[in-house]
């Protein structure tokens, strides 16, 4: 019988928690600041130090603030700069999530971030769970080039949304 290989991804909030996660067997890190707010972009120094210290896949979240996933033009420009910095630092990918007011994926700006990140991998985060039509959203994200979607099945908790 073939053994299933799982990838253990852990969201960490600083260098110390990242170190603990790596020592505990994590294969991939979603590096965030402010996890209590759902995660925001970690500092340049945190990303750099984690990249230099650990060989696991490193995916910083690109989110300039907590709250909703509707971003201004200025916030989007900040996101583009953060994506470029993650590429320069040798990250393996990024984690993003942009929506429109009507609950659809912000396809244009999501595609622009995916393009800016190339060849890094891109994960679309749990903003997906706020989409009004998750199946349409999933197809759009596949077409844009996102490699994975983090979801709790459109529910506040993955336990509630597992079906």
């Amino acid at each position: 019988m073939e053994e299933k290989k799982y990838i253990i991804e852990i969201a960490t909030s600083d260098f110390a928690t990242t170190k603990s996660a790596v020592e505990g067997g994590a294969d991939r890190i979603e590096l965030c600041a402010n996890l209590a707010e759902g995660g925001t972009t970690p500092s340049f120094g945190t990303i750099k130090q984690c990249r230099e210290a650990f060989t696991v896949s490193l995916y910083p979240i690109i989110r300039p603030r907590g709250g909703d996933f509707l971003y201004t033009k200025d916030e989007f420009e900040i996101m583009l700069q953060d994506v470029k910095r993650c590429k320069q630092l040798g990250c393996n990918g990024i984690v993003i999530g942009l929506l429109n007011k009507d609950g659809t994926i912000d396809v244009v700006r999501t595609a622009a971030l995916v393009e800016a990140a190339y060849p890094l991998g891109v994960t679309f985060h749990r903003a997906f769970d706020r989409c009004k039509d998750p199946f349409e959203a999933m197809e759009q994200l596949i077409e844009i080039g996102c490699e994975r979607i983090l979801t709790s099945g459109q529910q506040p908790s993955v336990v509630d949304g597992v079906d």
Side-chain angles (χ1 to χ4, degrees), residues 32-54:
C32 305
N34 302 308
L35 277 174
E37 291 184 38
T40 57
T41 306
S43 73
F44 167 78
T46 300
I47 297 169
K48 185 175 190 298
Q49 189 164 334
C50 288
R51 177 67 300 161
E52 290 172 355
F54 311 117

PDB file of all heavy atoms in Angstrom, residues 32-54:
ATOM      1  N   CYS A  32       2.747  35.357   8.685  1.00  0.00           N
ATOM      2  CA  CYS A  32       1.818  36.468   8.894  1.00  0.00           C
ATOM      3  C   CYS A  32       2.277  37.304  10.076  1.00  0.00           C
ATOM      4  O   CYS A  32       3.017  36.842  10.930  1.00  0.00           O
ATOM      5  CB  CYS A  32       0.425  35.944   9.246  1.00  0.00           C
ATOM      6  SG  CYS A  32      -0.299  34.776   8.095  1.00  0.00           S
ATOM      7  N   ALA A  33       1.777  38.495  10.134  1.00  0.00           N
ATOM      8  CA  ALA A  33       1.768  39.283  11.361  1.00  0.00           C
ATOM      9  C   ALA A  33       0.294  39.368  11.761  1.00  0.00           C
ATOM     10  O   ALA A  33      -0.596  39.079  10.948  1.00  0.00           O
ATOM     11  CB  ALA A  33       2.341  40.674  11.107  1.00  0.00           C
ATOM     12  N   ASN A  34       0.021  39.714  12.996  1.00  0.00           N
ATOM     13  CA  ASN A  34      -1.353  39.971  13.445  1.00  0.00           C
ATOM     14  C   ASN A  34      -2.343  38.855  13.111  1.00  0.00           C
ATOM     15  O   ASN A  34      -3.392  39.103  12.514  1.00  0.00           O
ATOM     16  CB  ASN A  34      -1.858  41.299  12.861  1.00  0.00           C
ATOM     17  CG  ASN A  34      -0.981  42.460  13.231  1.00  0.00           C
ATOM     18  OD1 ASN A  34      -0.683  42.660  14.400  1.00  0.00           O
ATOM     19  ND2 ASN A  34      -0.537  43.218  12.243  1.00  0.00           N
ATOM     20  N   LEU A  35      -2.022  37.630  13.510  1.00  0.00           N
ATOM     21  CA  LEU A  35      -2.926  36.513  13.235  1.00  0.00           C
ATOM     22  C   LEU A  35      -4.312  36.721  13.841  1.00  0.00           C
ATOM     23  O   LEU A  35      -5.294  36.244  13.289  1.00  0.00           O
ATOM     24  CB  LEU A  35      -2.326  35.196  13.733  1.00  0.00           C
ATOM     25  CG  LEU A  35      -1.341  34.539  12.774  1.00  0.00           C
ATOM     26  CD1 LEU A  35      -0.702  33.314  13.417  1.00  0.00           C
ATOM     27  CD2 LEU A  35      -2.004  34.165  11.467  1.00  0.00           C
ATOM     28  N   ALA A  36      -4.399  37.441  14.946  1.00  0.00           N
ATOM     29  CA  ALA A  36      -5.704  37.698  15.562  1.00  0.00           C
ATOM     30  C   ALA A  36      -6.627  38.482  14.627  1.00  0.00           C
ATOM     31  O   ALA A  36      -7.846  38.396  14.740  1.00  0.00           O
ATOM     32  CB  ALA A  36      -5.541  38.438  16.882  1.00  0.00           C
ATOM     33  N   GLU A  37      -6.040  39.240  13.701  1.00  0.00           N
ATOM     34  CA  GLU A  37      -6.815  39.986  12.712  1.00  0.00           C
ATOM     35  C   GLU A  37      -6.969  39.209  11.406  1.00  0.00           C
ATOM     36  O   GLU A  37      -7.398  39.766  10.401  1.00  0.00           O
ATOM     37  CB  GLU A  37      -6.131  41.321  12.398  1.00  0.00           C
ATOM     38  CG  GLU A  37      -6.146  42.312  13.523  1.00  0.00           C
ATOM     39  CD  GLU A  37      -5.544  43.641  13.094  1.00  0.00           C
ATOM     40  OE1 GLU A  37      -5.777  44.066  11.946  1.00  0.00           O
ATOM     41  OE2 GLU A  37      -4.832  44.234  13.911  1.00  0.00           O
ATOM     42  N   GLY A  38      -6.580  37.961  11.400  1.00  0.00           N
ATOM     43  CA  GLY A  38      -6.646  37.173  10.183  1.00  0.00           C
ATOM     44  C   GLY A  38      -5.359  37.206   9.383  1.00  0.00           C
ATOM     45  O   GLY A  38      -5.280  36.626   8.311  1.00  0.00           O
ATOM     46  N   GLY A  39      -4.347  37.891   9.899  1.00  0.00           N
ATOM     47  CA  GLY A  39      -3.046  37.939   9.247  1.00  0.00           C
ATOM     48  C   GLY A  39      -2.861  39.180   8.401  1.00  0.00           C
ATOM     49  O   GLY A  39      -3.739  39.555   7.630  1.00  0.00           O
ATOM     50  N   THR A  40      -1.701  39.815   8.574  1.00  0.00           N
ATOM     51  CA  THR A  40      -1.290  40.928   7.728  1.00  0.00           C
ATOM     52  C   THR A  40       0.150  40.668   7.294  1.00  0.00           C
ATOM     53  O   THR A  40       0.819  39.781   7.837  1.00  0.00           O
ATOM     54  CB  THR A  40      -1.387  42.286   8.468  1.00  0.00           C
ATOM     55  OG1 THR A  40      -0.591  42.229   9.648  1.00  0.00           O
ATOM     56  CG2 THR A  40      -2.825  42.629   8.818  1.00  0.00           C
ATOM     57  N   THR A  41       0.623  41.438   6.334  1.00  0.00           N
ATOM     58  CA  THR A  41       1.968  41.243   5.797  1.00  0.00           C
ATOM     59  C   THR A  41       3.017  41.417   6.899  1.00  0.00           C
ATOM     60  O   THR A  41       3.030  42.448   7.576  1.00  0.00           O
ATOM     61  CB  THR A  41       2.242  42.235   4.654  1.00  0.00           C
ATOM     62  OG1 THR A  41       1.204  42.112   3.676  1.00  0.00           O
ATOM     63  CG2 THR A  41       3.590  41.951   4.001  1.00  0.00           C
ATOM     64  N   PRO A  42       3.876  40.419   7.065  1.00  0.00           N
ATOM     65  CA  PRO A  42       4.948  40.560   8.062  1.00  0.00           C
ATOM     66  C   PRO A  42       5.988  41.575   7.594  1.00  0.00           C
ATOM     67  O   PRO A  42       6.055  41.916   6.418  1.00  0.00           O
ATOM     68  CB  PRO A  42       5.542  39.154   8.150  1.00  0.00           C
ATOM     69  CG  PRO A  42       5.145  38.469   6.893  1.00  0.00           C
ATOM     70  CD  PRO A  42       3.901  39.130   6.383  1.00  0.00           C
ATOM     71  N   SER A  43       6.809  42.016   8.526  1.00  0.00           N
ATOM     72  CA  SER A  43       7.841  42.996   8.187  1.00  0.00           C
ATOM     73  C   SER A  43       8.885  42.389   7.261  1.00  0.00           C
ATOM     74  O   SER A  43       9.099  41.172   7.236  1.00  0.00           O
ATOM     75  CB  SER A  43       8.517  43.515   9.453  1.00  0.00           C
ATOM     76  OG  SER A  43       9.376  42.523   9.993  1.00  0.00           O
ATOM     77  N   PHE A  44       9.561  43.265   6.533  1.00  0.00           N
ATOM     78  CA  PHE A  44      10.678  42.872   5.674  1.00  0.00           C
ATOM     79  C   PHE A  44      11.708  42.088   6.487  1.00  0.00           C
ATOM     80  O   PHE A  44      12.201  41.050   6.056  1.00  0.00           O
ATOM     81  CB  PHE A  44      11.306  44.138   5.067  1.00  0.00           C
ATOM     82  CG  PHE A  44      12.640  43.900   4.424  1.00  0.00           C
ATOM     83  CD1 PHE A  44      12.737  43.325   3.180  1.00  0.00           C
ATOM     84  CD2 PHE A  44      13.820  44.274   5.075  1.00  0.00           C
ATOM     85  CE1 PHE A  44      13.973  43.104   2.581  1.00  0.00           C
ATOM     86  CE2 PHE A  44      15.050  44.056   4.485  1.00  0.00           C
ATOM     87  CZ  PHE A  44      15.127  43.466   3.233  1.00  0.00           C
ATOM     88  N   GLY A  45      12.042  42.580   7.675  1.00  0.00           N
ATOM     89  CA  GLY A  45      13.046  41.917   8.505  1.00  0.00           C
ATOM     90  C   GLY A  45      12.633  40.522   8.911  1.00  0.00           C
ATOM     91  O   GLY A  45      13.450  39.593   8.923  1.00  0.00           O
ATOM     92  N   THR A  46      11.361  40.342   9.246  1.00  0.00           N
ATOM     93  CA  THR A  46      10.873  39.015   9.631  1.00  0.00           C
ATOM     94  C   THR A  46      10.949  38.052   8.450  1.00  0.00           C
ATOM     95  O   THR A  46      11.420  36.922   8.590  1.00  0.00           O
ATOM     96  CB  THR A  46       9.429  39.108  10.161  1.00  0.00           C
ATOM     97  OG1 THR A  46       9.395  39.958  11.305  1.00  0.00           O
ATOM     98  CG2 THR A  46       8.898  37.732  10.531  1.00  0.00           C
ATOM     99  N   ILE A  47      10.496  38.506   7.298  1.00  0.00           N
ATOM    100  CA  ILE A  47      10.545  37.642   6.108  1.00  0.00           C
ATOM    101  C   ILE A  47      11.996  37.272   5.798  1.00  0.00           C
ATOM    102  O   ILE A  47      12.323  36.103   5.565  1.00  0.00           O
ATOM    103  CB  ILE A  47       9.891  38.333   4.891  1.00  0.00           C
ATOM    104  CG1 ILE A  47       8.408  38.602   5.154  1.00  0.00           C
ATOM    105  CG2 ILE A  47      10.063  37.471   3.634  1.00  0.00           C
ATOM    106  CD1 ILE A  47       7.748  39.506   4.111  1.00  0.00           C
ATOM    107  N   LYS A  48      12.872  38.246   5.803  1.00  0.00           N
ATOM    108  CA  LYS A  48      14.290  38.025   5.467  1.00  0.00           C
ATOM    109  C   LYS A  48      14.938  37.049   6.445  1.00  0.00           C
ATOM    110  O   LYS A  48      15.619  36.096   6.039  1.00  0.00           O
ATOM    111  CB  LYS A  48      15.031  39.362   5.468  1.00  0.00           C
ATOM    112  CG  LYS A  48      16.487  39.280   5.024  1.00  0.00           C
ATOM    113  CD  LYS A  48      17.082  40.691   4.950  1.00  0.00           C
ATOM    114  CE  LYS A  48      18.441  40.719   4.297  1.00  0.00           C
ATOM    115  NZ  LYS A  48      19.457  39.963   5.010  1.00  0.00           N
ATOM    116  N   GLN A  49      14.708  37.259   7.725  1.00  0.00           N
ATOM    117  CA  GLN A  49      15.336  36.384   8.719  1.00  0.00           C
ATOM    118  C   GLN A  49      14.796  34.957   8.621  1.00  0.00           C
ATOM    119  O   GLN A  49      15.570  33.999   8.718  1.00  0.00           O
ATOM    120  CB  GLN A  49      15.122  36.937  10.133  1.00  0.00           C
ATOM    121  CG  GLN A  49      15.935  36.185  11.173  1.00  0.00           C
ATOM    122  CD  GLN A  49      16.033  36.954  12.481  1.00  0.00           C
ATOM    123  OE1 GLN A  49      15.927  38.176  12.497  1.00  0.00           O
ATOM    124  NE2 GLN A  49      16.233  36.233  13.555  1.00  0.00           N
ATOM    125  N   CYS A  50      13.516  34.805   8.405  1.00  0.00           N
ATOM    126  CA  CYS A  50      12.940  33.456   8.249  1.00  0.00           C
ATOM    127  C   CYS A  50      13.468  32.781   6.987  1.00  0.00           C
ATOM    128  O   CYS A  50      13.798  31.594   7.007  1.00  0.00           O
ATOM    129  CB  CYS A  50      11.418  33.527   8.229  1.00  0.00           C
ATOM    130  SG  CYS A  50      10.673  33.886   9.827  1.00  0.00           S
ATOM    131  N   ARG A  51      13.569  33.544   5.886  1.00  0.00           N
ATOM    132  CA  ARG A  51      14.071  32.954   4.639  1.00  0.00           C
ATOM    133  C   ARG A  51      15.515  32.484   4.807  1.00  0.00           C
ATOM    134  O   ARG A  51      15.893  31.420   4.322  1.00  0.00           O
ATOM    135  CB  ARG A  51      13.959  33.973   3.500  1.00  0.00           C
ATOM    136  CG  ARG A  51      14.507  33.508   2.166  1.00  0.00           C
ATOM    137  CD  ARG A  51      13.733  32.358   1.497  1.00  0.00           C
ATOM    138  NE  ARG A  51      13.682  31.152   2.290  1.00  0.00           N
ATOM    139  CZ  ARG A  51      12.812  30.160   2.143  1.00  0.00           C
ATOM    140  NH1 ARG A  51      11.902  30.194   1.208  1.00  0.00           N
ATOM    141  NH2 ARG A  51      12.834  29.107   2.919  1.00  0.00           N
ATOM    142  N   GLU A  52      16.321  33.276   5.480  1.00  0.00           N
ATOM    143  CA  GLU A  52      17.736  32.918   5.666  1.00  0.00           C
ATOM    144  C   GLU A  52      17.921  31.755   6.629  1.00  0.00           C
ATOM    145  O   GLU A  52      18.855  30.968   6.477  1.00  0.00           O
ATOM    146  CB  GLU A  52      18.513  34.142   6.142  1.00  0.00           C
ATOM    147  CG  GLU A  52      18.648  35.201   5.059  1.00  0.00           C
ATOM    148  CD  GLU A  52      19.253  36.510   5.538  1.00  0.00           C
ATOM    149  OE1 GLU A  52      19.501  36.662   6.763  1.00  0.00           O
ATOM    150  OE2 GLU A  52      19.478  37.394   4.693  1.00  0.00           O
ATOM    151  N   ALA A  53      17.029  31.606   7.580  1.00  0.00           N
ATOM    152  CA  ALA A  53      17.198  30.585   8.621  1.00  0.00           C
ATOM    153  C   ALA A  53      16.577  29.235   8.270  1.00  0.00           C
ATOM    154  O   ALA A  53      17.039  28.206   8.763  1.00  0.00           O
ATOM    155  CB  ALA A  53      16.598  31.084   9.938  1.00  0.00           C
ATOM    156  N   PHE A  54      15.546  29.226   7.438  1.00  0.00           N
ATOM    157  CA  PHE A  54      14.782  27.987   7.215  1.00  0.00           C
ATOM    158  C   PHE A  54      14.681  27.655   5.733  1.00  0.00           C
ATOM    159  O   PHE A  54      14.505  28.542   4.901  1.00  0.00           O
ATOM    160  CB  PHE A  54      13.375  28.123   7.810  1.00  0.00           C
ATOM    161  CG  PHE A  54      13.378  28.645   9.222  1.00  0.00           C
ATOM    162  CD1 PHE A  54      12.780  29.861   9.529  1.00  0.00           C
ATOM    163  CD2 PHE A  54      14.000  27.939  10.244  1.00  0.00           C
ATOM    164  CE1 PHE A  54      12.779  30.360  10.821  1.00  0.00           C
ATOM    165  CE2 PHE A  54      14.017  28.429  11.543  1.00  0.00           C
ATOM    166  CZ  PHE A  54      13.401  29.640  11.833  1.00  0.00           C
TER     167      PHE A  54
END
